[in-house]
Amino acid sequence: MTGTPVLGFVGLGVMGSRMCANIVRRAGAEVVVFDPVKEAADAAVALGARRCDGIGGIARDADIVFLSLPGIAEVESVCAELTASADRPRIVVDMSTSDVARTRALAARMEKAGVAFVDAPVARLRQAAEDGTLLITVGATEERFAELEPFLSCMGSDIVHAGGTGNGQVMKILNNMVLFLNMNALAEALTIGRAAGVDGALLFRTLRLGSADSFALRRTATATMIPDEFPERAFPTNYAIKDLALALELARDEGIELPAAGQTMSLLERTRDAGYGENYYPAMIKLVDGRG
């Protein structure tokens, strides 16, 4: 398509590979990719993407670069490589979940290097990444958001302009904080109900009929806590700790105390220390009911 920018994608892990696949299929643009895992890049190439030989190749060939990386340290490292190149992308879009203050500081450094930086973290499960139905919260100017929305819509069904730089991260961090606290409450309710002689599945079905209903109850808690199955390679306890730490740090920066979030963090840390760091984070119930 004439005038369509070349899109770059760095980070083809569990979520990134699915997001990139939807960009390749739906964006109507050339897509160039890089991931240090050869098989991950091979899969994107099989769908129609073009492999680059490293971050320098992405910087040279792409106008807009999407990042799906573990955290802010990796994002900073990749951005340093992108801006070290003689040829640089025009826009970098960070779709990772990252520290707010460091995101804003990185955006300022990128602007000095002549590259716009946008935070656009994603929420919802791996299946939503597969289906292109993620929630994406975007920190950007109105003009930049308008330019990026068609490409973000290839990956998400709900694209929210959260305000200026860093606000996308704020939205995502608070979404996850509320989710983890909700799961903590459900673990406690299930433990009490079972101890008092109520069938756990019946309890959750009944809660769904009342004001206690939630996505966490209907989907995650029911699928994991009732059968007592907490697989690896889902969203592990270690990742939940990382994300909740971002919320606690944001609160400290603003001078706000979060006793409920602090209690949930303690529970997650005890879950990790009991050997469930790589298990799906609802494994926290094992510590609530004393099996940890």
Side-chain angles (χ1 to χ4, degrees), residues 179-208:
L179 171 63
F180 301 147
L181 269 65
N182 197 349
M183 294 298 290
N184 187 351
L186 290 168
E188 292 180 355
L190 183 57
T191 299
I192 294 168
R194 284 171 167 168
V198 172
D199 176 74
L202 176 61
L203 172 64
F204 274 9
R205 287 199 300 272
T206 304
L207 292 179
R208 288 172 58 178

Side-chain angles (χ1 to χ4, degrees), residues 131-173:
D131 297 339
T133 56
L134 292 166
L135 164 63
I136 305 176
T137 52
V138 186
T141 64
E142 291 278 0
E143 178 184 14
R144 201 71 68 201
F145 177 77
E147 180 180 2
L148 293 171
E149 187 176 18
F151 303 120
L152 295 172
S153 294
C154 297
M155 299 176 278
S157 55
D158 295 281
I159 316 300
V160 176
H161 186 204
T165 303
N167 283 13
Q169 296 294 353
V170 173
M171 292 281 203
K172 169 60 188 297
I173 289 166

Side-chain angles (χ1 to χ4, degrees), residues 83-100:
T83 54
S85 174
D87 296 309
R88 299 171 181 175
R90 192 164 49 84
I91 306 171
V92 173
V93 183
D94 176 24
M95 308 195 75
S96 319
T97 302
S98 298
D99 174 281
V100 175

